Amino acid sequence: MGVPTIGVSAVTMVRYATEYDFKYANGMPIRYVAVPFPVTGPTRAMHRAYVNGKDQLSGKPLMTAISDALTAPLTDSEKMTNTTEVQAQAEPRFLPPDTEDNLRQLFKDKEWTDYNPIILPTEERVKKMLAGTSHKPDEVVNADTFNAGRRELTVEKVAIAAVMAGAKPEYMPLLLAIMASGVPYGNSTSSMANAIIVNGPIRNEIGMNPGTNAMGPYNDANSVVGRFFSLCGKLAADLRNNVTAVESLGNNLQYNNLTVAENEEMLPEGWQPLHVQMGFKPTDSVVTIGTGWTYISSLGEVQPAYPANMLIADYMRSLSALGSAATLFVDPTVAGLLNNVNGYATKQDFSKWLAGKVEKTVASYWGNGVVMTSNNAMAIQGLAPYADWSKLRKESPDALIKPFNNPEAINIVVVGGAIQTTWFVTDFRLRRGTLVDDWR
Amino acid sequence: MNRFRLFNPLFAMLALVFATCTPAVISAGEKITVMNPAITTKIAQRLPMTAPRLDTLEGKTIYLIDNQWGGPEGAYQLLEEMQNWFAENSPGIKTVLRRTKGNMFTDDPELWQEISERGDAAIVGVGQ
């Protein structure tokens, strides 16, 4: 713009902007002033108090700090372009030798773990892990760009995290595909998390459990693969609490990342596995990763007087419908009832029915800040249906809308042991699957 | 003493057998080397601040911009209160309150151009 410009935001955001983001992403030493958190939501009186209060960075009266930031001459440091003296040192391949106890403490101090015990990644263990793939250790699997700093994740770094998580070498193709998917490990000021859905022969090859207790702590592969994503995801994005990881509440799902194998063997006739729905062959091994926040259990068994389809639709009203996304995890018995009793010949049929059935008030839809931040831009551009929904927000906030306007974003995963007719409704938005076979 | 001497070679043999049959373990104080899980982070290309600061705000036009993080009400009310403060305490400073087009992830070159042509300074409010 060519004119003096400053930023004003909540102190938490400003600290990130002036420290990590400035160093690794933005590169410009923008001047900020900070008000207390939150900025969005307080009353006018509270905002007035912010303006009449103090800058949370300098301690000066806020408006004095603003005046100073716009008038104080630029310093030599602010005019600086030479960065040679501040370049980060390359991380060495090995850590300095130390005792096992000290190394375990170091890994915790550096926030490289999930604070459960890890296996220390000796060269010998990592070498054994690398035998699980034909890919070379120095091959770059992905470069994390979601968090600032563009860290190049190599096959060797994935193997190191795999050792730490307790993985077996035969898990490596799946672990590499997870990291190659490009889906970032959930990190937001909101409580973002991930879901990992595995399809195809790899499920049985590594002994994943798609049956009874599929979502509980009863299987090595389900548990370790899910844990691996937390360890490797944190390392790939350099996530550290209150430095780069800033979820206000966090999300307990991040201990296992909702890692499941679809129970393909128990799908009703006509219902395709998730990866086949995406265009992969049934014999392909595929991992699909989702991003979301919400995980709601049906609690009890299905009742014929108010069957699963109706109750699922009710529960979906509490989802944000961001991107029209929902992922349902249903027991094979529920899938059977939906197919045989309720007449949904395919998963897609049920998704279409839900898209036409689920309603919520326009006020509730826009009441979600993430939806508002993301979708209001489309409303401003006049795009349907968001422009109409935005208009209704002011004119008729109690009007009912059908927020799941894209049935293709409503996914159904059949998983579980056919012991109880239960299901989970979630708001996970699935990316296209990644071929595990490419990483064998 | 004689008994002790007799037992010594036997004890040594037993110790040798025990040592060869027991798997190697890392003693508590022994140092080991492990691989480094951390990945080198690239520092951003440093961009200099170039717009000279103002001598005074008096008589100048300041744009107050809400970048719509948190939606159209994200930081808007906070900026309205700043605008009120300027009107009450520094009436010689003109303020213009605007929202960016789109949301926090979208650019608004038309607004930046307008500020460049008609403004002397800008305060960008970020909701959250």
Side-chain angles (χ1 to χ4, degrees), chain A residues 48 52, chain B residues 81-93:
Chain A
R48 193 173 303 132
N52 290 317
Chain B
E81 285 304 313
M82 276 187 193
Q83 190 172 40
N84 292 339
W85 188 95
F86 279 118
E88 289 167 18
N89 297 281
S90 299
I93 299 171

Side-chain angles (χ1 to χ4, degrees), chain B residues 41-78:
Chain B
T41 301
K42 289 196 171 76
I43 299 273
Q45 174 63 46
R46 185 72 181 265
L47 300 172
M49 300 266 277
T50 52
R53 303 293 107 167
L54 302 171
D55 294 334
T56 175
L57 300 184
E58 201 54 36
K60 301 293 194 299
T61 299
I62 301 177
Y63 273 73
L64 306 171
I65 308 300
D66 180 3
N67 80 342
Q68 299 214 53
W69 188 331
E73 308 305 325
Y76 200 79
Q77 187 175 262
L78 175 69

Side-chain angles (χ1 to χ4, degrees), chain A residues 197-201 203 262 264 267 272-288 347 412-413 432-435 437:
Chain A
I197 301 151
V198 185
N199 282 96
R203 296 168 308 135
E262 188 164 31
E264 297 175 23
L267 284 164
Q272 294 175 318
L274 182 67
H275 68 311
V276 177
Q277 286 182 269
M278 292 177 177
F280 292 99
K281 291 182 287 191
T283 51
D284 289 337
S285 291
V286 174
V287 62
T288 304
K347 288 179 176 177
I412 297 149
V413 178
R432 181 172 165 74
T434 302
L435 199 58
D437 304 315

Side-chain angles (χ1 to χ4, degrees), chain A residues 134-154:
Chain A
S134 62
H135 289 259
K136 291 187 177 162
D138 59 355
E139 181 178 339
V140 175
V141 179
N142 200 357
D144 183 275
T145 52
F146 190 71
N147 194 27
R150 196 181 165 76
R151 283 158 295 279
E152 292 190 339
L153 182 70
T154 61

Side-chain angles (χ1 to χ4, degrees), chain A residues 78-195:
Chain A
E78 288 173 325
K79 296 178 195 168
M80 183 177 82
T81 55
N82 184 3
T83 58
T84 50
E85 73 271 31
V86 291
Q87 281 298 329
Q89 285 188 333
E91 290 286 346
R93 192 158 170 250
F94 294 93
L95 296 170
D98 210 333
T99 64
E100 197 170 326
D101 285 349
N102 287 346
L103 286 167
R104 287 188 186 286
Q105 191 58 48
L106 174 73
F107 275 57
K108 288 186 179 181
D109 292 345
K110 293 278 190 181
E111 302 196 38
W112 292 336
T113 78
D114 56 5
Y115 299 93
N116 286 314
I118 55 151
I119 310 272
L120 287 170
T122 60
E123 187 175 21
E124 186 186 5
R125 287 169 179 155
V126 173
K127 196 175 170 187
K128 280 182 186 167
M129 191 61 66
L130 286 165
T133 180
S134 62
H135 289 259
K136 291 187 177 162
D138 59 355
E139 181 178 339
V140 175
V141 179
N142 200 357
D144 183 275
T145 52
F146 190 71
N147 194 27
R150 196 181 165 76
R151 283 158 295 279
E152 292 190 339
L153 182 70
T154 61
V155 170
E156 183 172 271
K157 292 291 185 186
V158 172
I160 290 170
V163 168
M164 290 165 61
K168 297 173 183 171
E170 54 265 39
Y171 298 178
M172 273 297 279
L174 174 57
L175 307 184
L176 287 163
I178 289 170
M179 299 315 297
S181 70
V183 182
Y185 184 68
N187 181 39
S188 158
T189 52
S190 59
S191 291
M192 189 184 278
N194 298 96

Side-chain angles (χ1 to χ4, degrees), chain A residues 372-409:
Chain A
M372 176 62 89
T373 299
S374 302
N375 291 359
N376 191 55
M378 290 188 278
I380 290 169
Q381 293 170 55
L383 296 176
Y386 308 102
D388 291 337
W389 293 352
S390 181
K391 214 171 152 191
L392 281 171
R393 180 167 62 90
K394 291 158 193 158
E395 295 171 358
S396 181
D398 291 332
L400 291 170
I401 59 169
K402 297 181 192 301
F404 290 93
N405 55 327
N406 176 15
E408 290 182 12

